C-alpha cells in the first residue's frame, strides 16, 4: 500500500503544475476577452454620446452669442467635420477585491485541498486496516470502488445545486480513487487478470472524460488524459502486445481529440495528447520492436499521424480560428514526430524506397492544401505550414535519394525553382525558403569530399569533370536567382539580389582556384617523366602553380570589375575590390616568401599593371559609376 501512496503522490506532483498552467491560460484568455469587450463598449459609448453633444452645441451657437469671458472651442456646423474622438483608454485588469479573494480561497482552494486530503485519508485508513488484517484484499478494492463511486454521485448531486467548484473537487477525488483501486486489484493483489484490469481502467477513463464534459472542467479532462495514458504503463506485464496497446492508444487519442473539437478552449489537451501518444510509441519501439512487426507498426504509426492530420482538416472545415498559432505548432510537431518515427522504421530495411516515401509524404501535404483551398477558406499561416512542410520533405527526399555532388546539383535546381515559384505566385515565404536552400547547397558544397581537392587526382581533367559541372550549375542558379530578384517588389529584394550575386561570383572564384591548383597537382603526381623528375623541376612546377593562381585571381577580378562598371552594379565592383585585396595579400605574403626571384618579378609586374588598369577604368568611367554630379565636383576640386 505504501508503494501505491507513493505512486499516487508522484502522479499528483506531476499533474499539479499542468493543472495550474491550464487554469492560468484559461484565466488569462478570459480576462483578455473581457478587456477587449470593455474597450469596444467604451468606444461605442463615446461615439454615441459625442454626437448629441455636438448637435446641442451647434444649436446653442445659433441662438446665443458667444460669451467672451468664457470662450468655448469653435464648433463646426457639420457633424462630419467634428474633430476625431480620442482613442478609448486601455483599461487595466482590476485587482481582486476582498470578497473575490475570500471566494477563491474558501470556495475553490479549500475544495481542492479537501479533495486531496480525502484521498490521502482514505489511503491511510486502508493502509492501517490492511496492516492489522481487518479487511480482506477483495474487500479493500471494493471499499475503494465504493468511495470513488460515492464521490462521483456526490459530485452529481452538488452540481444540481449549483455548487460547481465543489462538485469538480469530488469528481477529481472519485476518479483518482477508482484508478487507484483498479491498479491495486491487478498489480498488488492479483485479483483480476490483465485484460479485465485493462477494461476497468479504460472504463474509468471514459467516465472521467464524460465527467469533464458534463462539468465543463478542463482539469478533470487532464486527469482523464493522465489516467488514460498511464494505464498501459501501470498494467504492463513486460510482454509486447502491440495490437492491443496501439488500438487502445488510438481510441484514447481519438476520444481526447473529439473533446478538443467540441471544446475549442481546451486547447492544452491537444499537445498533451500528441506528446503522450508519440512517447508511448517510442517507448514501445525502443523495447519491443522487431522486424516481424513491421507492417503492423507502419499501420498504427500512420494511424497516429492521421488522427492529428484529420483533426487539422476538421478544424479547417469548422473554420476554427482560436489559438491558431498554437495549433500550427502542434501540427508541425505531428509532422516532425511522425517522420522521425517513419524514418527509423523504414530506412534501415528499405533504404532504397525511403526517398520515394518521403517525397510522397511531402506531396500529400501540398496536394491537401490545393484540394482544401477549393472548399475552405485557408488563412496565410495555414497555407505556409502545409506548403513549407511539403517543401522540407521534398528537400529531405532529395538528400536521401542522391549523394555528394548529385545531391548538391538537385538542391541548387530546387532552390531556383522555389525562388521562381515565390516570385510567380507572390509568396514571400516560398522565396525566403529558397534562400535557406541556396545557403545549404553552398555550405554542403564546401564540405563535400572532393570539392576542394579532386578525388581521384589521377583522373582529373581541367574543367571537364563532375566537380566543375556541379560548381558551374550551382553558380548558374545563384546568378539566375539574382537576376530574378530584380523583378521582385519587396523591401528585402535588393539585399537578396546582392547576396545571390555575391554567391555567384565567389563560387566561380573558388572553382577557378581549385581547378588551377589540381591541374598542377595532377602534373606533379602523375605527369610525364615523374619518375625521373628532379627536385629542381618539382620546385619549378610548384612556383608555376602559385604564379598561375595569382594570375587567375587577378584576371578574374578584372572581369568582375568590368561587369560591375558595364552594368553599373555596385556589388560586383565591391567583390572585385575585395578579390584585388586578397590577391595583393597573397602576392606580398606567399609569393614574396616562397617564389624564386624570376617568378616574384612576374608576379609584382603583373599586379602593378592590373591595378593601374583598374585605376584607369575608375577614372575613365567615373561619371557612369558615381554619377555626373559627383564626377563634376571631383573635377572642380582638382
Amino acid at each position: 500500500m505504501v508503494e501505491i501512496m507513493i505512486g499516487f503522490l508522484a502522479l499528483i506532483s506531476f499533474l499539479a503544475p499542468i493543472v495550474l498552467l491550464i487554469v492560468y491560460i484559461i484565466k488569462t484568455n478570459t480576462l483578455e476577452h473581457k478587456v477587449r469587450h470593455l474597450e469596444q463598449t467604451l468606444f461605442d459609448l463615446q461615439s454615441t454620446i459625442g454626437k448629441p453633444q455636438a448637435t446641442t452645441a451647434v444649436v446653442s451657437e445659433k441662438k446665443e452669442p458667444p460669451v467672451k469671458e468664457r470662450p468655448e472651442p469653435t464648433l463646426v456646423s457639420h457633424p462630419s467635420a467634428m474633430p476625431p474622438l480620442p482613442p478609448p483608454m486601455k483599461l487595466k485588469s482590476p485587482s481582486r477585491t476582498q470578497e473575490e479573494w475570500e471566494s477563491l480561497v474558501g470556495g475553490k482552494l479549500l475544495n481542492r485541498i479537501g479533495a486531496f486530503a480525502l484521498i490521502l485519508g482514505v489511503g491511510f485508513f486502508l493502509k492501517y486496516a490492511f496492516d492489522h488484517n481487518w479487511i480482506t484484499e477483495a474487500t479493500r478494492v471494493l471499499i475503494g470502488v465504493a468511495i470513488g463511486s460515492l464521490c462521483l454521485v456526490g459530485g452529481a448531486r452538488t452540481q444540481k445545486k449549483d455548487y460547481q467548484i465543489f462538485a469538480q473537487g469530488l469528481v477529481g477525488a472519485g476518479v483518482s480513487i477508482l484508478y487507484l483501486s483498479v491498479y491495486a486489484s491487478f498489480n498488488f493483489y492479483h485479483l483480476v487478470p490483465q485484460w479485465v484490469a485493462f477494461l476497468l481502467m479504460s472504463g474509468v477513463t471514459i467516465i472521467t472524460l464524460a465527467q469533464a464534459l458534463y462539468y465543463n472542467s478542463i482539469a478533470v479532462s487532464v486527469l482523464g488524459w493522465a489516467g488514460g495514458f498511464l494505464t498501459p504503463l501501470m498494467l504492463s506485464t513486460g510482454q509486447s502486445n502491440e495490437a492491443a496497446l496501439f488500438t487502445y492508444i488510438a481510441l484514447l487519442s481519438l476520444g481526447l481529440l473529439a473533446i478538443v473539437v467540441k471544446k475549442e478552449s481546451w486547447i492544452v489537451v491537444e499537445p498533451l495528447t500528441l506528446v503522450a501518444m508519440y512517447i508511448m510509441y517510442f517507448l514501445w519501439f525502443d523495447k519491443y520492436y522487431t522486424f516481424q512487426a513491421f507492417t503492423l507498426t507502419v499501420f498504427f504509426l500512420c494511424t497516429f499521424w492521421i488522427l492529428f492530420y484529420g483533426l487539422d482538416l476538421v478544424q479547417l472545415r469548422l473554420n476554427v480560428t482560436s489559438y491558431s498559432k498554437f495549433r500550427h505548432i502542434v501540427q508541425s510537431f505531428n509532422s516532425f514526430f511522425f517522420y522521425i518515427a517513419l524514418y527509423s522504421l523504414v530506412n534501415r530495411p528499405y533504404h532504397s524506397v525511403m526517398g520515394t516515401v518521403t517525397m510522397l509524404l511531402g506531396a500529400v501535404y501540398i496536394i491537401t492544401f490545393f484540394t482544401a483551398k477549393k472548399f475552405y477558406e485557408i488563412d496565410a499561416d495555414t497555407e505556409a505550414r502545409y506548403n513549407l512542410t511539403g517543401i522540407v520533405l521534398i528537400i529531405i527526399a532529395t538528400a536521401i535519394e542522391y549523394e555528394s555532388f548529385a545531391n548538391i546539383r538537385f538542391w541548387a535546381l530546387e532552390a531556383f525553382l522555389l525562388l521562381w515559384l515565390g516570385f510567380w505566385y507572390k509568396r514571400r515565404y516560398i522565396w525566403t525558403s529558397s534562400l535557406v536552400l541556396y545557403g545549404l547547397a553552398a555550405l554542403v558544397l564546401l564540405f563535400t569530399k572532393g570539392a576542394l581537392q579532386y578525388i581521384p587526382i589521377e583522373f582529373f581533367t581541367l574543367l571537364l569533370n563532375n566537380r566543375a559541372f556541379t560548381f558551374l550549375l550551382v553558380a548558374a542558379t545563384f546568378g539566375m536567382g539574382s537576376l530574378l530578384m530584380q523583378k521582385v517588389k519587396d523591401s528585402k529584394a535588393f539585399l537578396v539580389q546582392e547576396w545571390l550575386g555575391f554567391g555567384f561570383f565567389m563560387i566561380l572564384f573558388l572553382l577557378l582556384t581549385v581547378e588551377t591548383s589540381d591541374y598542377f597537382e595532377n602534373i606533379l603526381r602523375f605527369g610525364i617523366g615523374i619518375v625521373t623528375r628532379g627536385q629542381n623541376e618539382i620546385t619549378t612546377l610548384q612556383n608555376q602553380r602559385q604564379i598561375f593562381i595569382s594570375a587567375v585571381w587577378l584576371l578574374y577580378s578584372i572581369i568582375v570589375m568590368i561587369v560591375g562598371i558595364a552594368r553599373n552594379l555596385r556589388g560586383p565592383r565591391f567583390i572585385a575590390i575585395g578579390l584585388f585585396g586578397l590577391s595583393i595579400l597573397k602576392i606580398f605574403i606567399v609569393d614574396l616568401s616562397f617564389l624564386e626571384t624570376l617568378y616574384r618579378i612576374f608576379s609584382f609586374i603583373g599586379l602593378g599593371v592590373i591595378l593601374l588598369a583598374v585605376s584607369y577604368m575608375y577614372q575613365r568611367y567615373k561619371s557612369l559609376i558615381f554619377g555626373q554630379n559627383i564626377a563634376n565636383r571631383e573635377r572642380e576640386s582638382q
Side-chain angles (χ1 to χ4, degrees):
M1 189 63 189
V2 176
E3 291 84 352
I4 300 177
M5 298 306 301
I6 293 174
F8 185 74
L9 288 174
L11 177 61
I12 293 296
S13 301
F14 170 73
L15 291 178
I18 298 177
V19 174
L20 290 175
L21 177 62
I22 295 168
V23 173
Y24 172 76
I25 293 174
I26 294 175
K27 293 296 183 183
T28 303
N29 186 62
T30 304
L31 288 175
E32 182 180 356
H33 283 293
K34 288 182 178 179
V35 170
R36 290 179 180 176
H37 178 70
L38 288 174
E39 289 178 349
Q40 184 63 37
T41 303
L42 179 60
F43 180 78
D44 294 339
L45 288 174
Q46 287 177 338
S47 302
T48 304
I49 295 173
K51 291 180 179 180
Q53 287 179 345
T55 306
T56 305
V58 172
V59 174
S60 62
E61 184 182 3
K62 292 180 180 180
K63 292 183 178 181
E64 298 180 4
V67 181
K68 295 182 179 180
E69 290 79 11
R70 297 178 61 186
E72 296 290 339
T74 304
L75 297 176
V76 295
S77 58
H78 199 281
S80 62
M82 290 175 57
L85 293 173
M89 296 180 297
K90 292 186 177 180
L91 302 179
K92 296 183 178 180
S93 301
S95 59
R96 295 181 184 271
T97 62
Q98 292 183 355
E99 291 79 6
E100 289 174 333
W101 278 111
E102 182 178 355
S103 175
L104 175 65
V105 175
K108 183 175 293 187
L109 185 60
L110 293 183
N111 173 267
R112 302 298 191 249
I113 297 175
F116 181 60
L118 176 62
I119 298 169
L120 292 180
V122 171
F124 286 128
F125 167 75
L126 293 176
K127 179 181 182 302
Y128 185 80
F130 302 158
D131 292 341
H132 293 78
N133 295 320
W134 290 357
I135 308 172
T136 62
E137 294 177 347
T139 306
R140 301 171 192 176
V141 174
L142 292 177
I143 289 175
V145 173
I147 294 175
S149 301
L150 287 174
C151 288
L152 295 180
V153 174
R157 293 180 64 86
T158 53
Q159 171 73 9
K160 294 179 180 179
K161 297 180 180 181
D162 202 23
Y163 300 149
Q164 296 181 357
I165 297 176
F166 183 75
Q168 292 176 14
L170 286 179
V171 170
V175 168
S176 301
I177 292 172
L178 288 176
Y179 273 124
L180 189 63
S181 301
V182 176
Y183 176 66
S185 68
F186 166 76
N187 199 57
F188 289 99
Y189 306 137
H190 307 290
L191 299 176
V192 295
Q194 183 197 29
W195 68 271
V196 175
F198 196 85
L199 290 177
L200 292 174
M201 281 284 205
S202 302
V204 174
T205 300
I206 294 173
I207 292 173
T208 305
L209 298 178
Q211 296 291 307
L213 290 174
Y214 179 75
Y215 293 102
N216 194 27
S217 174
I218 190 172
V220 176
S221 70
V222 173
L223 183 61
W225 161 82
F229 280 104
L230 287 175
T231 293
L233 298 178
M234 293 188 293
L235 301 182
S236 175
T237 59
Q239 297 179 351
S240 174
N241 190 355
E242 181 184 5
L245 172 64
F246 286 160
T247 300
Y248 169 79
I249 295 297
L251 293 175
L252 174 62
S253 301
L254 180 62
L256 290 168
L257 295 182
I259 291 177
V260 171
V261 173
K262 186 176 181 61
K263 298 286 186 180
E264 293 182 14
S265 60
W266 293 9
I267 181 62
V268 73
V269 177
E270 187 174 338
L272 289 176
T273 303
L274 177 77
V275 172
M277 183 181 71
Y278 279 107
I279 285 178
M280 295 296 295
Y281 170 81
F282 283 116
L283 288 176
W284 175 88
F285 182 84
D286 181 65
K287 189 173 182 180
Y288 297 110
Y289 174 74
T290 59
F291 180 71
Q292 287 72 20
F294 175 81
T295 304
L296 189 61
T297 305
V298 169
F299 169 77
F300 279 112
L301 182 59
C302 292
T303 301
F304 294 157
W305 171 71
I306 289 173
L307 286 175
F308 280 85
Y309 194 73
L311 172 67
D312 194 27
L313 296 178
V314 170
Q315 290 172 340
L316 280 178
R317 186 183 179 209
L318 298 177
N319 195 25
V320 177
T321 57
S322 58
Y323 307 99
S324 58
K325 293 184 179 179
F326 195 79
R327 297 182 193 277
H328 289 319
I329 295 174
V330 173
Q331 291 296 332
S332 299
F333 273 105
N334 178 45
S335 305
F336 175 75
F337 289 146
F338 172 68
Y339 184 74
I340 292 297
L342 187 66
Y343 184 86
S344 303
L345 188 64
V346 177
N347 185 62
R348 180 174 295 179
Y350 301 108
H351 175 75
S352 59
V353 300
M354 190 66 221
T356 304
V357 171
T358 305
M359 186 167 294
L360 289 176
L361 182 60
V364 167
Y365 277 94
I366 296 176
I367 294 173
T368 300
F369 161 71
F370 282 103
T371 304
K373 189 177 180 181
K374 298 178 181 179
F375 302 99
Y376 313 127
E377 183 178 351
I378 299 180
D379 59 273
D381 291 338
T382 304
E383 173 189 335
R385 173 167 59 81
Y386 271 93
N387 287 333
L388 287 178
T389 302
I391 289 170
V392 169
L393 288 171
I394 292 174
I395 292 171
I396 295 174
T398 304
I400 295 174
E401 197 70 22
Y402 302 99
E403 297 179 353
S404 188
F405 292 120
N407 175 42
I408 296 170
R409 289 194 295 268
F410 278 104
W411 272 1
L413 292 173
E414 289 171 356
F416 177 72
L417 177 62
L418 289 175
L419 191 69
W420 180 83
L421 290 173
F423 164 74
W424 182 259
Y425 290 104
K426 296 180 174 59
R427 294 294 189 270
R428 183 174 183 178
Y429 71 88
I430 296 182
W431 62 257
T432 302
S433 65
S434 75
L435 302 180
V436 178
L437 188 54
Y438 267 120
L440 184 62
L443 185 64
V444 173
L445 177 61
L446 293 178
F447 291 96
T448 298
K449 185 177 180 181
L452 302 182
Q453 185 175 13
Y454 195 85
I455 298 175
I457 191 66
E458 59 268 25
F459 297 111
F460 173 80
T461 303
L462 184 64
L463 294 178
L464 298 177
N465 55 75
N466 187 33
R467 180 185 66 182
F469 174 63
T470 302
F471 270 83
L472 290 172
L473 180 63
V474 173
T477 58
F478 270 83
M480 292 187 297
S482 179
L483 295 176
L484 183 62
M485 288 304 295
Q486 295 178 3
K487 304 177 182 180
V488 177
K489 297 179 180 179
D490 190 274
S491 57
K492 303 294 184 181
F494 178 75
L495 182 62
V496 173
Q497 175 194 345
E498 292 287 326
W499 277 105
L500 289 176
F502 175 80
F504 167 75
F505 288 111
M506 294 309 297
I507 291 173
L508 288 180
F509 171 76
L510 183 60
L511 170 64
L512 294 175
T513 302
V514 296
E515 287 288 304
T516 304
S517 178
D518 286 344
Y519 173 78
F520 284 93
E521 185 69 21
N522 177 264
I523 295 176
L524 283 169
R525 294 188 182 185
F526 304 100
I528 301 175
I530 187 65
V531 178
T532 59
R533 184 173 294 156
Q535 183 61 40
N536 292 334
E537 190 173 356
I538 293 176
T539 303
T540 300
L541 286 173
Q542 291 175 343
N543 290 333
Q544 290 176 356
R545 174 162 62 180
Q546 294 301 325
I547 196 71
F548 267 89
I549 290 176
S550 299
V552 168
W553 285 11
L554 290 171
L555 291 174
Y556 181 72
S557 302
I558 289 179
I559 295 173
V560 175
M561 179 62 73
I562 292 173
V563 171
I565 294 175
R567 297 181 60 85
N568 195 20
L569 297 175
R570 182 177 299 178
R573 295 199 302 268
F574 283 176
I575 294 173
I577 292 173
L579 293 178
F580 280 129
L582 185 63
S583 302
I584 292 171
L585 287 176
K586 180 183 181 300
I587 291 173
F588 275 91
I589 295 175
V590 177
D591 297 359
L592 188 62
S593 301
F594 299 100
L595 296 185
E596 295 179 350
T597 304
L598 183 61
Y599 292 103
R600 293 178 189 172
I601 294 172
F602 290 142
S603 180
F604 278 93
I605 290 177
L607 175 63
V609 170
I610 290 175
L611 293 181
L612 288 174
V614 171
S615 175
Y616 171 78
M617 284 192 294
Y618 260 93
Q619 292 295 319
R620 177 69 176 80
Y621 300 103
K622 60 184 175 181
S623 60
L624 177 64
I625 298 173
F626 303 109
Q628 189 63 41
N629 294 332
I630 297 179
N632 292 337
R633 286 200 300 268
E634 183 178 346
R635 192 178 298 110
E636 292 173 359
S637 64
Q638 295 175 355

